[in-house]
């Protein structure tokens, strides 16, 4: 455990700013992305003090997207030839590493004169207030004061500097100064956050952490478990004998794997040889710890099912399929015995047992979806044999955060212990936790291989609530890490080889409205490895081909995604330190499918914005037709006549027009990555009841009056939608009634009109028809009537099926 003395408890740790500060009065209103100018790759250390950096030495590192931070590393390996205490005749040694006000301590080892610790301590250079490092060995005493064994002192001006890719510094034996003597093996050096010992070190800025909480503040890289789809095709069963032999069974099959339970439909015919031919799909994770349990059950009563047979199968028994080739089916004998049955009776019964016909395989040609398809970071199939070569690399420097809000109370004042989590593909990373500061500074850099540029990397900031071993509490009482905010970056919006340094607002929707929780400062670089592969990938399907050859239904996709998220959260929660369920669920958008009036409004206006271009074009054409601008109308007439005379120019002109528009818009292309937009999300002006509804549980936990009011409101909205859908259906039925003879007079008129039109069009050249039609629609307002046209009047008089609705 690391402790600190003479530090004002609760005082925020002083951090250097990576980007420009935002004044407190503007923080809540500033939701825009800000470009920053951090000093990346060690440029901020040109005048380093001699002894910390040797003069003229240039530090090179792969960590070129973060600000270089120097640490004093102390590796305590072991000791030897320590003498026993003359009074107790025992030696329980431990090591105390002291540097100014900071003090780190190893665990004590009972009754051993040659102990081994192999622990690393890291002291930030910015906070060092002493020029002497002391390593003190003490003897743990159960009663009274710990006994002094010896010490070693180091002058920091003489400490060597090591920067990757240098090899690890070899530890040396040092003689302890003291009456009880002995030797201790140590390694002391000055390094950066790129050092291999950085992630395992106990940092001085985690001074107040104790117990198991020490492991929860370290940085860590995680890998999601390898997920497979397990397809169970239930074909048939034979010799299914019910408990009551006087009736034929109503049989169905139930398959269970862990918490996943799926059932087939009940066989439509009552028989002892039922037939189903149904697919059941599960999500399985390597290593295959769970087994597949198949039971054949009889629906004796609507509330009672009787088990007729059962079999438990390990997943390692099944074939792994990489494509859509057929898999051989197998017969499996079913057991209907419980515990305590004689083995001889079991063998005799198995000779005449029921059996079931199954086709089971592990699908390696699919990508198991564990995140929302809108923000997917990976589309590769499960089987590594089907993976393509990476087309690029994404590098992210997690610099720090600014302006974070207090997330909890500690000793009567607000506090935030922040860490950052990044997820792309199967790789998750977690930075170390910076304690008790609203401006944490991580400066950690991570790299991912990119297989598809049309993917999204997600970064989230959380408040660590497990610093004192509280993770041992029960699930009902255990603290949960609080979400601070999230950032998504789509790789296709990044220019290759350009370094983006921005401060992203961390926006979170609370029951009282949208709130800015601070800013996350990142440095991002996307590097393309092959331009040809990059261009090729844009023409390929987004998902592996099995998703198109044997697609899943929408309900299956949602259910399987939920099961995959549960498995990923469970496996990552068992890591050390754990990546907790609430963190994984927030990063994977577990509640993205839930109803929200706010999201519905936002999606509606997104659709309206898409049609706004078409509406604008229609308004412009209407102005041309009504000669609002005579010059424009004349030019449109000339262009129209040219295209009529030379129809072969229509398509080339269209594509040339799009080419010129693209070149013109290049000047106004976005220079920054997209970020969370509160206006697009309709998060700025929300009714309090709509917010309360969005944060309601499922099923609801609100009072009946509130639920009734929301139901009535939903009915009114649905009524308007119902009217619009009905109008669309009415127009379609009127088209259908043109030739249906529902209205004999209208159909007769349309048939005669069609005959006349056919004769005229056969006799008239197409150019003439097109010219007459175009000039008619472009005619001057003097030749127009304000009344609806004859075709419009005729169409509106056609019958629809609304008369037949109740």
């Amino acid at each position: 455990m690391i402790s600190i003395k003479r530090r004002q408890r609760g005082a925020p740790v002083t951090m250097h700013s990576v980007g420009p500060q935002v004044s407190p009065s503007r923080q809540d209103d500033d939701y825009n992305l800000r470009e920053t100018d951090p000093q990346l790759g060690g440029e901020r250390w040109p005048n380093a003090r001699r002894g910390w950096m040797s003069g003229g030495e240039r530090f090179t590192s792969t960590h070129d997207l973060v600000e270089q931070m120097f640490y004093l590393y102390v590796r305590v390996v072991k000791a030897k030839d320590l003498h026993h205490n003359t009074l107790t005749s025992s030696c329980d040694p431990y090591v105390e590493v002291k540097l100014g006000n900071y003090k780190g301590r190893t665990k004590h080892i009972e009754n051993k004169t040659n102990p081994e610790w192999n622990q690393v301590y890291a002291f930030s250079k910015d906070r060092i207030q002493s020029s002497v490092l002391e390593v003190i060995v003490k003897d743990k005493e159960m009663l009274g004061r710990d006994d002094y064994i010896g010490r070693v002192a180091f002058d920091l001006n003489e400490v060597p500097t090591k920067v990757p890719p240098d090899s690890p510094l070899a530890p040396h034996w040092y003689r302890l100064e003291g009456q009880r003597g002995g030797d201790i093996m140590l390694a002391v050096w000055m390094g950066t956050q790129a050092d291999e010992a950085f992630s395992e070190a106990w940092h001085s800025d985690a001074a107040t952490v104790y117990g198991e909480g020490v492991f929860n503040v370290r940085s860590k890289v995680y890998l999601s478990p390898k997920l497979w789809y397990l397809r169970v095709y239930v074909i048939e069963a034979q010799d299914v004998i019910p408990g009551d032999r006087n009736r034929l069974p109503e049989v169905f099959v139930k398959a269970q794997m862990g918490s996943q339970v799926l059932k087939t439909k009940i066989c439509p015919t009552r028989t002892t040889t039922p037939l189903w031919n149904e697919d059941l799909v599960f999500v399985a994770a390597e290593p295959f710890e769970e087994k597949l349990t198949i039971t054949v059950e009889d629906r004796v009563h609507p509330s009672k099912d009787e088990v007729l047979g059962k079999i438990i199968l390990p997943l390692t028994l099944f074939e792994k399929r990489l494509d859509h080739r057929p898999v051989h089916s197998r017969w499996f004998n079913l057991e209907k015995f419980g515990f305590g049955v004689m083995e001889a009776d079991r063998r005799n019964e198995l000779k005449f047992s029921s059996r079931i016909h199954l086709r089971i395989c592990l699908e390696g040609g699919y990508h198991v979806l564990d995140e929302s398809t809108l923000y997917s970071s990976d589309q590769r199939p499960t089987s590594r044999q089907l993976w393509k070569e990476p087309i690029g690399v994404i590098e992210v420097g997690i610099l720090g955060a600014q302006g974070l809000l207090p997330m909890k109370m500690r000793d009567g004042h607000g506090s935030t212990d922040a860490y950052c989590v990044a997820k792309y593909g199967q790789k998750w990373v977690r930075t170390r936790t910076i304690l008790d500061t609203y401006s944490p500074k991580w400066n950690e850099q991570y790299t991912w291989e990119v297989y598809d540029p049309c993917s999204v990397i997600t970064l989230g900031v959380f408040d660590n609530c497990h610093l004192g071993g509280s993770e041992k509490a029960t699930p009902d009482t255990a603290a949960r890490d609080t979400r601070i905010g999230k950032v998504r970056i789509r790789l296709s919006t990044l220019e290759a080889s350009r370094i983006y340094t921005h401060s992203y607002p961390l926006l979170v929707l609370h029951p009282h409205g949208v709130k800015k929780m601070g800013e996350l400062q990142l440095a991002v670089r996307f590097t393309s490895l092959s331009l040809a592969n990059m261009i090729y990938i844009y023409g390929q399907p987004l998902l592996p081909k099995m998703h198109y050859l044997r697609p899943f239904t929408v309900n299956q996709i949602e259910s399987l995604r939920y099961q995959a998220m549960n498995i990923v959260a469970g496996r990552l929660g068992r890591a050390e330190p754990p990546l907790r369920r609430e963190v994984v669920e927030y990063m994977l958008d577990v509640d993205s499918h839930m109803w929200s009036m706010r999201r519905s409004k936002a999606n509606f206006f997104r659709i309206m914005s898409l049609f706004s271009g078409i509406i604008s074009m229609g308004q412009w054409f209407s102005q041309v037709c009504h000669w609002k601008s005579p010059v424009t109308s004349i030019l449109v007439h000339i262009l129209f006549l040219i295209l009529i005379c030379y129809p072969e120019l229509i398509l080339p002109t269209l594509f040339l027009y799009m080419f010129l528009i693209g070149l013109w818009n290049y000047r106004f292309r976005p220079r920054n990555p997209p970020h969370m937009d509160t206006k697009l999300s309709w998060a700025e002006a929300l009714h309090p009841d709509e917010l309360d509804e969005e944060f309601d549980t499922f099923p609801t936990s609100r009072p009946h009056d509130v639920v009734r009011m929301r139901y009535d409101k939903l009915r009114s909205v649905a009524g308007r939608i119902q009217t619009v859908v009905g109008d669309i259906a009415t127009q379609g039925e009127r088209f259908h009634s043109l030739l249906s003879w529902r209205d004999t007079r209208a159909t007769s008129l349309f048939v005669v009109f069609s005959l006349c039109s056919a004769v005229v069009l056969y006799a008239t050249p197409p150019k003439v028809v097109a010219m007459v039609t175009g000039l008619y629609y472009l005619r001057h307002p003097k030749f127009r009537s304000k009344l609806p046209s004859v075709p419009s009047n005729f169409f509106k008089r056609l019958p629809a099926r609304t008369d037949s609705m109740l």
Side-chain angles (χ1 to χ4, degrees), residues 376-380 389-392 424 449-456 490-492 526 533-534 537-538 540-543:
S376 180
S377 63
D378 190 13
Q379 293 93 17
R380 290 172 295 171
E389 291 295 323
I391 55 97
Y424 184 78
E449 289 183 334
V450 177
Y451 292 84
D452 194 323
C454 304
S455 50
V456 177
R490 185 169 293 275
L491 271 57
S492 59
F526 172 63
N533 289 341
M534 180 80 70
I537 204 70
Y538 271 89
Q540 297 305 302
L542 192 63
L543 293 170

mmCIF file of all heavy atoms in Angstrom, residues 376-380 389-392 424 449-456 490-492 526 533-534 537-538 540-543:
data_model
loop_
_atom_site.group_PDB
_atom_site.id
_atom_site.type_symbol
_atom_site.label_atom_id
_atom_site.label_comp_id
_atom_site.label_asym_id
_atom_site.label_seq_id
_atom_site.Cartn_x
_atom_site.Cartn_y
_atom_site.Cartn_z
ATOM 1 N N SER A 376 -21.170 -0.171 -34.517
ATOM 2 C CA SER A 376 -20.358 -1.380 -34.503
ATOM 3 C C SER A 376 -18.887 -1.048 -34.737
ATOM 4 O O SER A 376 -18.540 -0.209 -35.579
ATOM 5 C CB SER A 376 -20.864 -2.353 -35.567
ATOM 6 O OG SER A 376 -20.088 -3.523 -35.569
ATOM 7 N N SER A 377 -18.017 -1.704 -33.983
ATOM 8 C CA SER A 377 -16.582 -1.522 -34.136
ATOM 9 C C SER A 377 -15.911 -2.714 -34.798
ATOM 10 O O SER A 377 -14.703 -2.679 -35.040
ATOM 11 C CB SER A 377 -15.936 -1.285 -32.763
ATOM 12 O OG SER A 377 -16.096 -2.421 -31.929
ATOM 13 N N ASP A 378 -16.672 -3.753 -35.087
ATOM 14 C CA ASP A 378 -16.066 -4.962 -35.636
ATOM 15 C C ASP A 378 -17.136 -5.721 -36.408
ATOM 16 O O ASP A 378 -18.262 -5.892 -35.923
ATOM 17 C CB ASP A 378 -15.495 -5.829 -34.510
ATOM 18 C CG ASP A 378 -14.653 -6.974 -35.047
ATOM 19 O OD1 ASP A 378 -14.314 -6.954 -36.243
ATOM 20 O OD2 ASP A 378 -14.343 -7.906 -34.269
ATOM 21 N N GLN A 379 -16.796 -6.167 -37.610
ATOM 22 C CA GLN A 379 -17.729 -6.974 -38.407
ATOM 23 C C GLN A 379 -17.096 -8.283 -38.858
ATOM 24 O O GLN A 379 -17.620 -8.949 -39.743
ATOM 25 C CB GLN A 379 -18.194 -6.187 -39.640
ATOM 26 C CG GLN A 379 -19.045 -4.984 -39.328
ATOM 27 C CD GLN A 379 -18.248 -3.710 -39.194
ATOM 28 O OE1 GLN A 379 -17.102 -3.640 -39.631
ATOM 29 N NE2 GLN A 379 -18.841 -2.699 -38.578
ATOM 30 N N ARG A 380 -15.991 -8.661 -38.249
ATOM 31 C CA ARG A 380 -15.306 -9.873 -38.683
ATOM 32 C C ARG A 380 -16.055 -11.122 -38.237
ATOM 33 O O ARG A 380 -16.695 -11.130 -37.180
ATOM 34 C CB ARG A 380 -13.896 -9.904 -38.108
ATOM 35 C CG ARG A 380 -12.943 -8.888 -38.701
ATOM 36 C CD ARG A 380 -11.633 -8.871 -37.943
ATOM 37 N NE ARG A 380 -11.815 -8.410 -36.566
ATOM 38 C CZ ARG A 380 -10.886 -8.462 -35.631
ATOM 39 N NH1 ARG A 380 -9.699 -8.967 -35.928
ATOM 40 N NH2 ARG A 380 -11.123 -8.011 -34.426
ATOM 41 N N GLU A 389 -6.809 -9.290 -44.216
ATOM 42 C CA GLU A 389 -5.687 -8.526 -43.685
ATOM 43 C C GLU A 389 -6.181 -7.162 -43.198
ATOM 44 O O GLU A 389 -7.106 -6.590 -43.779
ATOM 45 C CB GLU A 389 -4.622 -8.333 -44.762
ATOM 46 C CG GLU A 389 -3.897 -9.601 -45.155
ATOM 47 C CD GLU A 389 -3.072 -10.175 -44.011
ATOM 48 O OE1 GLU A 389 -2.503 -9.375 -43.248
ATOM 49 O OE2 GLU A 389 -3.025 -11.404 -43.888
ATOM 50 N N PRO A 390 -5.586 -6.621 -42.133
ATOM 51 C CA PRO A 390 -5.991 -5.278 -41.679
ATOM 52 C C PRO A 390 -5.672 -4.229 -42.729
ATOM 53 O O PRO A 390 -4.676 -4.318 -43.448
ATOM 54 C CB PRO A 390 -5.176 -5.078 -40.397
ATOM 55 C CG PRO A 390 -4.038 -6.035 -40.498
ATOM 56 C CD PRO A 390 -4.537 -7.202 -41.280
ATOM 57 N N ILE A 391 -6.543 -3.229 -42.797
ATOM 58 C CA ILE A 391 -6.356 -2.173 -43.799
ATOM 59 C C ILE A 391 -5.781 -0.896 -43.184
ATOM 60 O O ILE A 391 -5.510 0.062 -43.899
ATOM 61 C CB ILE A 391 -7.690 -1.871 -44.511
ATOM 62 C CG1 ILE A 391 -8.792 -1.529 -43.506
ATOM 63 C CG2 ILE A 391 -8.102 -3.033 -45.377
ATOM 64 C CD1 ILE A 391 -9.025 -0.099 -43.281
ATOM 65 N N GLY A 392 -5.624 -0.895 -41.850
ATOM 66 C CA GLY A 392 -5.084 0.297 -41.224
ATOM 67 C C GLY A 392 -4.901 0.110 -39.736
ATOM 68 O O GLY A 392 -5.123 -0.980 -39.185
ATOM 69 N N TYR A 424 -12.713 -0.997 -28.993
ATOM 70 C CA TYR A 424 -12.758 -1.128 -30.445
ATOM 71 C C TYR A 424 -12.482 -2.587 -30.781
ATOM 72 O O TYR A 424 -11.453 -3.151 -30.369
ATOM 73 C CB TYR A 424 -11.738 -0.225 -31.133
ATOM 74 C CG TYR A 424 -11.817 -0.271 -32.642
ATOM 75 C CD1 TYR A 424 -12.809 0.428 -33.317
ATOM 76 C CD2 TYR A 424 -10.933 -1.045 -33.386
ATOM 77 C CE1 TYR A 424 -12.905 0.379 -34.694
ATOM 78 C CE2 TYR A 424 -11.025 -1.105 -34.763
ATOM 79 C CZ TYR A 424 -12.007 -0.392 -35.411
ATOM 80 O OH TYR A 424 -12.114 -0.459 -36.778
ATOM 81 N N GLU A 449 -5.750 -2.597 -34.541
ATOM 82 C CA GLU A 449 -5.776 -2.887 -35.970
ATOM 83 C C GLU A 449 -7.180 -2.638 -36.501
ATOM 84 O O GLU A 449 -8.172 -2.954 -35.844
ATOM 85 C CB GLU A 449 -5.365 -4.335 -36.246
ATOM 86 C CG GLU A 449 -3.890 -4.616 -36.010
ATOM 87 C CD GLU A 449 -3.516 -6.042 -36.368
ATOM 88 O OE1 GLU A 449 -4.411 -6.918 -36.316
ATOM 89 O OE2 GLU A 449 -2.343 -6.287 -36.687
ATOM 90 N N VAL A 450 -7.265 -2.078 -37.706
ATOM 91 C CA VAL A 450 -8.547 -1.737 -38.320
ATOM 92 C C VAL A 450 -8.767 -2.647 -39.518
ATOM 93 O O VAL A 450 -7.902 -2.752 -40.391
ATOM 94 C CB VAL A 450 -8.568 -0.254 -38.753
ATOM 95 C CG1 VAL A 450 -9.874 0.069 -39.456
ATOM 96 C CG2 VAL A 450 -8.366 0.649 -37.551
ATOM 97 N N TYR A 451 -9.934 -3.300 -39.533
ATOM 98 C CA TYR A 451 -10.293 -4.173 -40.639
ATOM 99 C C TYR A 451 -11.389 -3.576 -41.513
ATOM 100 O O TYR A 451 -11.641 -4.077 -42.604
ATOM 101 C CB TYR A 451 -10.745 -5.539 -40.113
ATOM 102 C CG TYR A 451 -9.633 -6.335 -39.472
ATOM 103 C CD1 TYR A 451 -9.282 -6.129 -38.143
ATOM 104 C CD2 TYR A 451 -8.913 -7.280 -40.200
ATOM 105 C CE1 TYR A 451 -8.251 -6.851 -37.548
ATOM 106 C CE2 TYR A 451 -7.885 -8.007 -39.615
ATOM 107 C CZ TYR A 451 -7.563 -7.780 -38.284
ATOM 108 O OH TYR A 451 -6.540 -8.492 -37.703
ATOM 109 N N ASP A 452 -12.044 -2.537 -41.007
ATOM 110 C CA ASP A 452 -13.095 -1.877 -41.769
ATOM 111 C C ASP A 452 -13.130 -0.414 -41.343
ATOM 112 O O ASP A 452 -13.294 -0.125 -40.155
ATOM 113 C CB ASP A 452 -14.450 -2.537 -41.523
ATOM 114 C CG ASP A 452 -15.498 -2.097 -42.536
ATOM 115 O OD1 ASP A 452 -15.485 -0.922 -42.928
ATOM 116 O OD2 ASP A 452 -16.335 -2.928 -42.935
ATOM 117 N N PRO A 453 -12.962 0.522 -42.279
ATOM 118 C CA PRO A 453 -12.975 1.935 -41.865
ATOM 119 C C PRO A 453 -14.346 2.427 -41.439
ATOM 120 O O PRO A 453 -14.447 3.432 -40.729
ATOM 121 C CB PRO A 453 -12.481 2.664 -43.123
ATOM 122 C CG PRO A 453 -12.867 1.768 -44.252
ATOM 123 C CD PRO A 453 -12.746 0.367 -43.728
ATOM 124 N N CYS A 454 -15.404 1.738 -41.857
ATOM 125 C CA CYS A 454 -16.765 2.151 -41.499
ATOM 126 C C CYS A 454 -17.144 1.559 -40.143
ATOM 127 O O CYS A 454 -18.102 0.773 -40.023
ATOM 128 C CB CYS A 454 -17.745 1.741 -42.579
ATOM 129 S SG CYS A 454 -17.311 2.381 -44.210
ATOM 130 N N SER A 455 -16.374 1.885 -39.142
ATOM 131 C CA SER A 455 -16.583 1.365 -37.792
ATOM 132 C C SER A 455 -16.363 2.503 -36.806
ATOM 133 O O SER A 455 -15.881 3.582 -37.160
ATOM 134 C CB SER A 455 -15.633 0.188 -37.505
ATOM 135 O OG SER A 455 -14.294 0.527 -37.825
ATOM 136 N N VAL A 456 -16.713 2.242 -35.556
ATOM 137 C CA VAL A 456 -16.747 3.286 -34.534
ATOM 138 C C VAL A 456 -15.938 2.841 -33.329
ATOM 139 O O VAL A 456 -16.066 1.691 -32.875
ATOM 140 C CB VAL A 456 -18.196 3.591 -34.105
ATOM 141 C CG1 VAL A 456 -18.233 4.622 -32.989
ATOM 142 C CG2 VAL A 456 -19.007 4.077 -35.301
ATOM 143 N N ARG A 490 -16.221 7.886 -35.478
ATOM 144 C CA ARG A 490 -16.318 7.013 -36.653
ATOM 145 C C ARG A 490 -15.052 7.159 -37.480
ATOM 146 O O ARG A 490 -14.682 8.274 -37.891
ATOM 147 C CB ARG A 490 -17.555 7.348 -37.470
ATOM 148 C CG ARG A 490 -17.789 6.407 -38.640
ATOM 149 C CD ARG A 490 -19.149 6.614 -39.256
ATOM 150 N NE ARG A 490 -20.204 6.218 -38.353
ATOM 151 C CZ ARG A 490 -20.667 4.970 -38.228
ATOM 152 N NH1 ARG A 490 -20.135 4.004 -38.965
ATOM 153 N NH2 ARG A 490 -21.624 4.690 -37.376
ATOM 154 N N LEU A 491 -14.398 6.041 -37.747
ATOM 155 C CA LEU A 491 -13.095 6.075 -38.394
ATOM 156 C C LEU A 491 -13.169 6.590 -39.822
ATOM 157 O O LEU A 491 -12.207 7.190 -40.321
ATOM 158 C CB LEU A 491 -12.471 4.675 -38.376
ATOM 159 C CG LEU A 491 -11.615 4.325 -37.147
ATOM 160 C CD1 LEU A 491 -12.391 4.474 -35.856
ATOM 161 C CD2 LEU A 491 -11.067 2.914 -37.273
ATOM 162 N N SER A 492 -14.292 6.373 -40.503
ATOM 163 C CA SER A 492 -14.397 6.820 -41.888
ATOM 164 C C SER A 492 -14.431 8.334 -42.004
ATOM 165 O O SER A 492 -14.242 8.874 -43.101
ATOM 166 C CB SER A 492 -15.651 6.224 -42.531
ATOM 167 O OG SER A 492 -16.818 6.612 -41.819
ATOM 168 N N PHE A 526 -5.419 7.951 -37.568
ATOM 169 C CA PHE A 526 -5.750 6.763 -38.357
ATOM 170 C C PHE A 526 -4.750 6.644 -39.491
ATOM 171 O O PHE A 526 -4.567 7.586 -40.272
ATOM 172 C CB PHE A 526 -7.174 6.855 -38.910
ATOM 173 C CG PHE A 526 -7.522 5.758 -39.876
ATOM 174 C CD1 PHE A 526 -7.548 4.434 -39.464
ATOM 175 C CD2 PHE A 526 -7.797 6.047 -41.203
ATOM 176 C CE1 PHE A 526 -7.858 3.420 -40.354
ATOM 177 C CE2 PHE A 526 -8.109 5.042 -42.100
ATOM 178 C CZ PHE A 526 -8.135 3.722 -41.670
ATOM 179 N N ASN A 533 -6.586 -1.787 -50.697
ATOM 180 C CA ASN A 533 -7.489 -2.543 -49.832
ATOM 181 C C ASN A 533 -8.569 -1.644 -49.245
ATOM 182 O O ASN A 533 -9.704 -2.082 -49.036
ATOM 183 C CB ASN A 533 -6.693 -3.204 -48.704
ATOM 184 C CG ASN A 533 -5.823 -4.341 -49.194
ATOM 185 O OD1 ASN A 533 -6.048 -4.877 -50.286
ATOM 186 N ND2 ASN A 533 -4.820 -4.702 -48.422
ATOM 187 N N MET A 534 -8.209 -0.389 -48.973
ATOM 188 C CA MET A 534 -9.186 0.554 -48.440
ATOM 189 C C MET A 534 -10.310 0.780 -49.448
ATOM 190 O O MET A 534 -11.498 0.769 -49.106
ATOM 191 C CB MET A 534 -8.502 1.868 -48.098
ATOM 192 C CG MET A 534 -9.422 2.928 -47.530
ATOM 193 S SD MET A 534 -9.770 2.684 -45.802
ATOM 194 C CE MET A 534 -8.161 3.064 -45.099
ATOM 195 N N ILE A 537 -12.533 -2.404 -49.813
ATOM 196 C CA ILE A 537 -13.431 -2.742 -48.712
ATOM 197 C C ILE A 537 -14.744 -1.989 -48.803
ATOM 198 O O ILE A 537 -15.778 -2.443 -48.310
ATOM 199 C CB ILE A 537 -12.734 -2.464 -47.356
ATOM 200 C CG1 ILE A 537 -13.348 -3.317 -46.251
ATOM 201 C CG2 ILE A 537 -12.831 -1.012 -46.991
ATOM 202 C CD1 ILE A 537 -13.047 -4.765 -46.339
ATOM 203 N N TYR A 538 -14.746 -0.824 -49.501
ATOM 204 C CA TYR A 538 -15.980 -0.044 -49.623
ATOM 205 C C TYR A 538 -17.017 -0.741 -50.505
ATOM 206 O O TYR A 538 -18.193 -0.395 -50.445
ATOM 207 C CB TYR A 538 -15.674 1.346 -50.170
ATOM 208 C CG TYR A 538 -15.371 2.356 -49.088
ATOM 209 C CD1 TYR A 538 -14.073 2.537 -48.622
ATOM 210 C CD2 TYR A 538 -16.377 3.123 -48.520
ATOM 211 C CE1 TYR A 538 -13.787 3.460 -47.624
ATOM 212 C CE2 TYR A 538 -16.105 4.048 -47.526
ATOM 213 C CZ TYR A 538 -14.807 4.203 -47.082
ATOM 214 O OH TYR A 538 -14.537 5.109 -46.082
ATOM 215 N N GLN A 540 -17.484 -4.098 -50.413
ATOM 216 C CA GLN A 540 -17.782 -5.390 -49.809
ATOM 217 C C GLN A 540 -18.980 -5.279 -48.865
ATOM 218 O O GLN A 540 -19.285 -4.214 -48.341
ATOM 219 C CB GLN A 540 -16.558 -5.899 -49.045
ATOM 220 C CG GLN A 540 -15.351 -6.145 -49.922
ATOM 221 C CD GLN A 540 -15.648 -7.082 -51.068
ATOM 222 O OE1 GLN A 540 -16.074 -8.217 -50.870
ATOM 223 N NE2 GLN A 540 -15.461 -6.608 -52.294
ATOM 224 N N PRO A 541 -19.673 -6.407 -48.627
ATOM 225 C CA PRO A 541 -20.784 -6.388 -47.666
ATOM 226 C C PRO A 541 -20.297 -5.991 -46.274
ATOM 227 O O PRO A 541 -19.159 -6.273 -45.890
ATOM 228 C CB PRO A 541 -21.297 -7.835 -47.682
ATOM 229 C CG PRO A 541 -20.811 -8.412 -48.973
ATOM 230 C CD PRO A 541 -19.520 -7.722 -49.281
ATOM 231 N N LEU A 542 -21.160 -5.333 -45.545
ATOM 232 C CA LEU A 542 -20.778 -4.849 -44.226
ATOM 233 C C LEU A 542 -20.539 -6.000 -43.257
ATOM 234 O O LEU A 542 -19.625 -5.954 -42.430
ATOM 235 C CB LEU A 542 -21.857 -3.912 -43.681
ATOM 236 C CG LEU A 542 -21.491 -3.089 -42.452
ATOM 237 C CD1 LEU A 542 -20.350 -2.141 -42.768
ATOM 238 C CD2 LEU A 542 -22.699 -2.316 -41.944
ATOM 239 N N LEU A 543 -21.348 -7.053 -43.361
ATOM 240 C CA LEU A 543 -21.241 -8.214 -42.476
ATOM 241 C C LEU A 543 -20.769 -9.425 -43.264
ATOM 242 O O LEU A 543 -20.836 -9.433 -44.511
ATOM 243 C CB LEU A 543 -22.602 -8.507 -41.825
ATOM 244 C CG LEU A 543 -23.119 -7.445 -40.846
ATOM 245 C CD1 LEU A 543 -24.561 -7.733 -40.463
ATOM 246 C CD2 LEU A 543 -22.244 -7.366 -39.614
#
